[in-house]
Amino acid sequence: MRDFYGSTLNTMFMLGTAQYPSPHVLADAFRRSAASVATVSLRRESGRDRAGQDFWNLIRDLGVHVLPNTAGCHTVKEAVTTAHMAREVFDTKWIKLEVIGEEDTLQPDVFGLVEAARILTEDGFQVFPYTTEDLVVAGKLLDAGCEVLMPWGAPIGSGLGLNNLFGLRTLRAHFPDTALVIDAGLGLPSHAAQAMELGFDAVLLNTAVAKAGDPAAMALAFATAIQAGHLAATAGPMCPRDMATPSTPVIGKAFLK
Amino acid sequence: MLAPYCEGTSADQLVVRLGLEAADWWAAHTQATCQRGSLVLSPTRDRAELAQFAGRTEGYVKVDGPQIAALEPDLADRFASGLYFEAEAHLAPRAALAQLRAGLVRDGTHFVQDEANPDDYARRGITVDCRGFQARDTQRDLRGVKGEMLVLSCPEVTLNRPVRMLHPRVPLYIVPRGDGVFMLGATMIESSSAAHISVRSVLELLSAAYALNPAFGEAEVLEVGVDCRPAYPDNLPRIRRDGNLISSNGLFRHGFLLAPAMARMVADLIYENIIPEVMDETPG
């Protein structure tokens, strides 16, 4: 299994912590799915005087890696400030870097993303950038010091699945040695299985589990699909072909006139 | 709002069941309630939210554009479909509390406002601690969930009942308080700070109100409210007892909805020694 800035994860499932009916349900989802990373968004208004500490303690109690994020940041300055606050609150170098560039689709501002990634990397952060499947941007992020890339599957919270299979497959092929995590847009476990079948190293999602009728059951469903997809990718899948090939030979079979 | 069925979309069934007592109780003890149902709507683009809401609640009928217009003429031609929860109600919370208090005073209850330690009172007799988030000193697993709301004056708009507008990012409910006054709520932020409302929250709440009816663009902001909802990790209420001291807490965002049932259970515990279904024997 791929390592993430020197850390090996028990599972390839990263799960968000927002929008659950309660922290109790959230903890249940983590328990049943054995997700190994919890992403948590830090509102600067909660971070300033640690007003969100009670909730953060509940996240810490999950006993998994905590990956704070800069969700909702639209500028480099906001993202950098939030990252610093997160490092202080969660005592981790990890930061999931989001710099949003478009309000409706929440598409990342890849120019600001690269700049923020460079600033934070130079400051000792280990950056997990939320990006698109763009190859050039991916290269720039690696140049900026990132060792992990998190391309979107589809817009955040949309549940649309993998929108650009060609782009994601190409990204995987171009960066075979980089840890790649599909982040955002997954709605169903089959989407996660598909991502893992493409050879991605992990999957990160939130809304599809948190907003499910039974979040813990859905988390387990995703965990199982991720495992299945990974197993399939490593098991050597057959190549699709246009011509039908019978699995049982036709020659020698009895036939009726 | 006294909207137990709507709360069922995300709350435990316990909240729905206990909340069903609320409308009748408040109507019997105050003149501050209004039973005209509640309406749940979504913009056309977000109609998937409405379908999901319908799938997770009960006690509604589906309504189309003309039916919505009949219920709420000021929303005519703005929404094509919605859900009408006929049995739900709303109340004016401050008026309800004032009337409740006046009734208790009439019946001989003495109110004393003081800063005191509940343990001091418990040494003298049965004491019920209902301090909400302020009871953090004894209820260690209580956390604060920040809620922000606005009160607007908009005489150009008339709504007869609470309207909930579903949106993937900014869900809103708006409760008519009469005389062109409306309460807009409410954010939910994992924060124990009740100091200030953020610009983002104001923008989101007002934008959602504007989307409901652009006439709200001309409204006056009468009041901004910020407070901390008291919540246990499962967001469900608990009654705990330590000798003479009984704690009733964790009503989260369901204060007026759950208060009648919680009060009934506390009274049953004190006078009949009936163990409440929300009794929690673990220390806080």
Side-chain angles (χ1 to χ4, degrees):
Chain A
M1 196 179 291
R2 191 88 62 175
D3 77 73
F4 296 82
Y5 291 105
S7 295
T8 306
L9 306 179
N10 292 331
T11 66
M12 293 152 283
F13 193 7
M14 303 180 177
L15 189 53
T17 57
Q19 306 182 76
Y20 289 80
S22 73
H24 182 81
V25 174
L26 183 163
D28 229 21
F30 271 84
R31 259 192 302 274
R32 287 193 69 186
S33 66
S36 53
V37 174
T39 60
V40 54
S41 77
L42 187 76
R43 276 185 178 239
R44 290 187 300 289
E45 61 176 290
S46 304
R48 281 186 202 109
D49 51 3
R50 298 207 169 214
Q53 192 66 53
D54 291 336
F55 183 68
W56 302 331
N57 288 343
L58 292 167
I59 303 297
R60 277 219 183 95
D61 290 347
L62 296 172
V64 300
H65 292 275
V66 176
L67 176 58
N69 69 36
T70 63
C73 292
H74 288 70
T75 65
V76 173
K77 187 178 177 186
E78 277 182 291
V80 170
T81 304
T82 305
H84 279 271
M85 207 175 265
R87 182 162 67 180
E88 203 174 302
V89 168
F90 294 104
D91 192 25
T92 176
K93 291 179 186 173
W94 282 14
I95 188 74
K96 185 187 159 219
L97 181 61
E98 288 184 26
V99 183
I100 299 301
E102 208 285 320
E103 189 53 39
D104 199 57
T105 61
L106 301 180
Q107 182 165 342
D109 167 3
V110 293
F111 305 99
L113 184 70
V114 171
E115 187 186 342
R118 180 170 290 113
I119 292 169
L120 291 171
T121 303
E122 286 172 359
D123 203 11
F125 283 89
Q126 295 172 333
V127 178
F128 294 64
Y130 165 64
T131 183
T132 66
E133 63 277 14
D134 188 292
L135 295 179
V136 180
V137 174
K140 300 278 184 197
L141 287 167
L142 297 181
D143 291 345
C146 297
E147 295 179 18
V148 178
L149 299 176
M150 303 185 92
W152 64 351
I156 295 170
S158 66
L160 292 171
L162 305 182
N163 262 358
N164 183 355
L165 277 179
F166 166 77
L168 292 170
R169 194 181 290 122
T170 308
L171 186 72
R172 177 71 285 178
H174 272 69
F175 300 101
D177 300 323
T178 302
L180 297 181
V181 182
I182 289 290
D183 174 15
L186 304 190
L188 289 168
S190 54
H191 299 153
Q194 191 181 22
M196 298 307 290
E197 286 165 10
L198 286 175
F200 283 84
D201 299 296
V203 160
L204 192 162
L205 56 100
N206 189 157
T207 310
V209 166
K211 289 294 192 183
D214 183 343
M218 188 59 82
L220 177 61
F222 268 100
T224 310
I226 289 166
Q227 202 176 3
H230 174 67
L231 197 56
T234 54
M238 67 169 285
C239 298
R241 50 172 90 93
D242 291 335
M243 188 182 175
T245 312
S247 52
T248 308
V250 177
I251 297 170
K253 275 185 103 176
F255 59 91
L256 298 175
K257 282 186 180 176
Chain B
M1 273 197 296
L2 302 172
Y5 292 114
C6 283
E7 292 300 328
T9 187
S10 60
D12 192 279
Q13 280 304 303
L14 176 79
V15 172
V16 178
R17 187 162 46 78
L18 296 181
L20 287 172
E21 297 179 28
D24 287 345
W25 192 93
W26 286 108
H29 293 84
T30 70
Q31 282 80 52
T33 60
C34 186
Q35 185 134 17
R36 291 186 193 148
S38 74
L39 199 54
V40 178
L41 305 170
S42 72
T44 307
R45 180 182 173 181
D46 303 314
R47 56 181 176 268
E49 301 288 323
L50 195 66
Q52 182 162 295
F53 197 95
R56 292 177 183 177
T57 52
E58 52 187 13
Y60 62 83
V61 291
K62 291 183 178 175
V63 284
D64 58 16
Q67 289 168 311
I68 293 168
L71 288 164
E72 297 292 352
D74 277 3
L75 300 181
D77 301 325
R78 299 198 59 76
F79 296 93
S81 56
L83 307 172
Y84 176 48
F85 293 78
E86 191 176 8
E88 296 192 331
H90 64 285
L91 84 172
R94 288 170 193 166
L97 286 184
Q99 290 172 23
L100 206 56
R101 178 182 172 127
L104 287 165
V105 169
R106 268 198 310 276
D107 292 344
T109 302
H110 293 283
F111 282 84
V112 178
Q113 191 168 344
D114 194 11
E115 281 191 24
N117 184 335
D119 287 332
D120 295 339
Y121 279 93
R123 282 188 205 101
R124 287 180 253 163
I126 296 284
T127 301
V128 184
D129 182 352
C130 313
R131 290 177 296 151
F133 188 62
Q134 296 307 313
R136 261 306 284 282
D137 52 352
T138 58
Q139 304 295 303
R140 302 283 183 197
D141 51 348
L142 208 56
R143 76 183 199 288
V145 180
K146 185 179 180 182
E148 299 151 312
M149 65 96 180
L150 299 171
V151 178
L152 306 181
S153 171
C154 189
E156 298 84 44
V157 177
T158 301
L159 293 178
N160 299 304
R161 56 189 54 77
V163 175
R164 210 178 273 257
M165 196 167 78
L166 306 179
H167 186 273
R169 291 190 207 171
V170 192
L172 167 93
Y173 63 80
I174 183 159
V175 185
R177 292 275 168 80
D179 299 324
V181 175
F182 300 88
M183 193 277 274
L184 256 67
T187 58
M188 274 210 301
I189 300 165
E190 289 287 349
S191 166
S192 56
S193 167
H196 302 288
I197 190 169
S198 70
V199 169
R200 174 161 65 180
S201 295
V202 173
L203 282 171
E204 287 178 350
L205 288 171
L206 291 179
S207 300
Y210 186 81
L212 186 72
N213 188 328
F216 279 114
E218 300 297 318
E220 292 176 13
V221 178
L222 299 181
E223 189 182 326
V224 170
V226 188
D227 214 338
C228 238
R229 305 178 182 96
Y232 291 110
D234 56 6
N235 291 348
L236 293 176
R238 286 164 174 56
I239 293 172
R240 288 170 169 162
R241 181 170 193 164
D242 181 12
N244 275 344
L245 186 59
I246 295 169
S247 161
S248 173
N249 214 323
L251 276 66
F252 187 40
R253 64 178 189 197
H254 311 298
F256 280 86
L257 186 67
L258 295 183
M262 292 294 282
R264 170 181 58 74
M265 287 188 274
V266 169
D268 285 347
L269 176 65
I270 295 170
Y271 295 110
E272 311 289 341
N273 204 27
I274 297 172
I275 304 299
E277 63 176 304
V278 297
M279 191 75 183
D280 181 15
E281 305 287 354
T282 57

